[in-house]
Amino acid sequence: MSVRSAARLNRVSAPTQPADRSGSDLAAARQKQAGRRRLNVLGGRVLVAVVVLGGWELGSRIGVIDKFFWSQPSEIASTLWRWFTEGTDLGPLWEQVLVTMEETVGGFLVGSVLGVIFGVVLGRNRLLADVLGPYIKGANAIPRVVVGALFAVSLGLDIRAKIATAAVLVFFVVFFNAFQGVREVDRNLIANARILGADNRRLTTEIIIPSALSWIAASLHTSFGLALVGAVVGELFGATEGIGELIYLSKNLFDTAGVFAGMALLAATALVAEALITALEDRLIRWRPPVATEVRI
Amino acid sequence: MTPAIELRGVTKRFLTPSGGVYTALHDLNMSVEPGEFCSVVGPTGCGKSTTLALISGLEPASEGEVDVFGKPVAGIADGIGYVFQSDAVFPWKTVLGNVAAGPRYHGASNRDASERARDWIARVGLAGFEDRYPYQLSGGMRKRVALAQSLINSPRILLMDEPFSALDVQTRTLMENELLSLWSASSASVVFVTHDLEEAISLSDRVFVITAGPGTVKSTYKVDLPRPRNVAEIRFEPRFVAIYEEIWKDLRDEVLVSYERQKRGAA
């Protein structure tokens, strides 16, 4: 994040800065400083991993931590390795990851597209928002993972039930953000667009939606995590494959290492997705000033 | 000749959030000739901005008539430009996208709109900045974008609501001079709202003094200084000083009234 911001700032100020010696010296010094900082951060991260995992491993080896309930990192690693090389009880590992990803991405797309559409429509239409408001708030108050049970019955064991569960979780987060984003559009910008000749359609596509986009984009981070929750919960309610099913199976065999290994896989998936969403957000909201926290002369 | 803008007996009332009625303008009469540069000065909260909202059609009048080129205003009409006090350029559009918005909304093709926008960007001195986003520009540059964005639609009436109040003094003087040269190349009538009497006199043909709220026109002054003017120097001329003193005597009373009210309101 910080590195990318710095690059963006540099690109902007480059043409106006004279390329004198002191300037280039300053830039070099700053680059060196940034490099050192990156190294410190990386070192810190490794240190945290070593302390936590090492402490866990040591604790379980000397008996402070019960291996049966809490497993230990070396066992988790060997389980992962076994899944990776020999496949899981449900089939090859990559198939399980792929199935869960499909459910997650499917639910994420369905939920966020519906959320944006409903949010924009209701945000633009006061009457509709007032009529539907209590129902939406009521529906949102229900612990929504339970609809997973309903979908498992009505849609069966296949992928649709999981997509539906994930979509329901995603929908409300994106909806509320899109709705709020539409409501918070700067009135001056709307007045300006109308004076410049924008009709209602242009107002929606060129002013309201871009303006609401920073709200919507912020919600995408949370909602991808929720889509993953929805997919896994959907698998727990009944499935034949997927990481959630893998965890469920391990649990039934009292194989805590398997549960942890499944969690590690989910975490890795979520981190990769998070990076992808950040990249998407940067593309969507290029016009937003970069956060210039570490860039100081 | 039909005046470009005519307000006759205009009253504007707003509902306050607490349910009361607030009268912003009361029985206001004002007329602006085609091609004329008029300024509106008055104490804070006297309804200067409301006047512009009525002319543009953003707000309807509660009573009285608002005519633009002889026709009553009903909603937002074509041929009006509006430069807002705060930044109203679209932050998610580049300079080019911002300036090209007007022509595109009026049905021009993207290519045509971009071509015209490039021309206007050059005219306001921003050539080379077409691909920048507003956050990458200084306050003065953003005002230039706003100016080009309005002027590209060749408005017959340009409404400006304290457009330069957020700029530093040097940038402001530069922008005022540029505004005058852009205006003289067009045939637009300008209504320029400001709280700065010096700015009002140095730019205008006529200055309207508005009373402390509810606002109405207290008096009108003709500014018979020769054009073209240099805003940076004109304020030292004896005639300028004389006009300034005359208007200020008038304006001071209203400012005092408004100030007393605010003090009482705070107490």
Side-chain angles (χ1 to χ4, degrees), chain A residues 61-245:
Chain A
R61 271 174 200 263
I62 61 173
V64 184
I65 297 169
D66 192 327
K67 215 167 90 175
F68 179 74
F69 293 120
W70 301 108
S71 189
Q72 63 187 36
S74 55
E75 250 183 69
I76 297 166
S78 75
T79 303
L80 275 174
W81 179 247
R82 183 164 46 82
W83 284 354
F84 192 67
T85 50
E86 300 163 26
T88 67
D89 299 340
L90 298 169
L93 180 64
W94 63 268
E95 258 179 29
Q96 314 311 314
V97 174
L98 202 68
V99 164
T100 302
M101 276 315 281
E102 262 176 64
E103 295 160 355
T104 306
V105 171
F108 174 72
L109 287 180
V110 172
S112 47
V113 166
L114 286 178
V116 169
I117 292 175
F118 273 74
V120 170
V121 168
L122 261 63
R124 294 282 278 144
N125 189 330
R126 184 110 213 187
L127 180 69
L128 207 59
D130 285 346
V131 170
L132 295 181
Y135 296 105
I136 292 175
K137 282 192 197 118
N140 184 39
I142 302 170
R144 273 157 284 130
V145 284
V146 298
V147 298
L150 198 65
F151 289 138
V153 174
S154 57
L155 297 176
L157 291 185
D158 67 3
I159 189 167
R160 287 176 304 161
K162 286 86 184 175
I163 288 186
T165 311
V168 167
L169 291 185
V170 168
F171 172 81
F172 284 95
V173 177
V174 176
F175 166 79
F176 281 112
N177 274 280
F179 181 76
Q180 196 60 24
V182 168
R183 282 292 173 89
E184 306 250 322
V185 177
D186 187 342
R187 303 192 59 81
N188 262 329
L189 295 183
I190 294 184
N192 193 21
R194 285 175 63 204
I195 295 269
L196 290 174
D199 52 19
N200 257 326
R201 189 181 59 82
R202 297 264 200 186
L203 213 56
T204 304
T205 57
E206 298 211 7
I207 312 300
I208 310 256
I209 290 181
S211 172
L213 211 55
S214 49
W215 282 75
I216 295 169
S219 74
L220 295 185
H221 289 277
T222 335
S223 56
F224 194 88
L226 283 175
L228 202 57
V229 170
V232 171
V233 167
E235 286 173 10
L236 293 184
F237 278 124
T240 50
E241 46 190 351
I243 303 179
E245 177 64 13

Side-chain angles (χ1 to χ4, degrees), chain A residues 225-264:
Chain A
L226 283 175
L228 202 57
V229 170
V232 171
V233 167
E235 286 173 10
L236 293 184
F237 278 124
T240 50
E241 46 190 351
I243 303 179
E245 177 64 13
L246 210 52
I247 292 176
Y248 185 71
L249 217 63
S250 306
K251 177 220 118 189
N252 285 351
L253 298 172
F254 296 104
D255 173 15
T256 46
V259 174
F260 275 112
M263 281 163 60

Side-chain angles (χ1 to χ4, degrees), chain B residues 8-19:
Chain B
R8 284 188 306 274
V10 167
T11 297
K12 177 67 186 175
R13 287 183 281 264
F14 288 105
L15 283 176
T16 59
S18 54

Side-chain angles (χ1 to χ4, degrees), chain A residues 8-9 11-16 185-199 202-203 205-212 284 286-290, chain B residues 56-58 76-78 80-82 84-93 98 101-108 129 132-136 149-150 152-153 159:
Chain A
R8 262 157 79 177
L9 270 193
R11 194 174 66 216
V12 169
S13 51
T16 49
V185 177
D186 187 342
R187 303 192 59 81
N188 262 329
L189 295 183
I190 294 184
N192 193 21
R194 285 175 63 204
I195 295 269
L196 290 174
D199 52 19
R202 297 264 200 186
L203 213 56
T205 57
E206 298 211 7
I207 312 300
I208 310 256
I209 290 181
S211 172
L284 284 179
R286 247 178 324 181
W287 50 271
R288 216 167 41 175
Chain B
S56 67
L58 281 171
I76 292 161
D78 256 2
I80 293 203
Y82 201 137
F84 293 82
Q85 179 176 9
S86 57
D87 262 338
V89 295
F90 309 125
W92 44 85
K93 286 182 189 288
N98 263 292
R104 280 184 46 247
Y105 295 161
H106 282 94
F129 289 89
R132 301 287 177 97
Y133 286 97
Y135 83 84
Q136 300 169 315
Q149 194 179 43
S150 291
I152 195 171
N153 278 346
L159 307 171

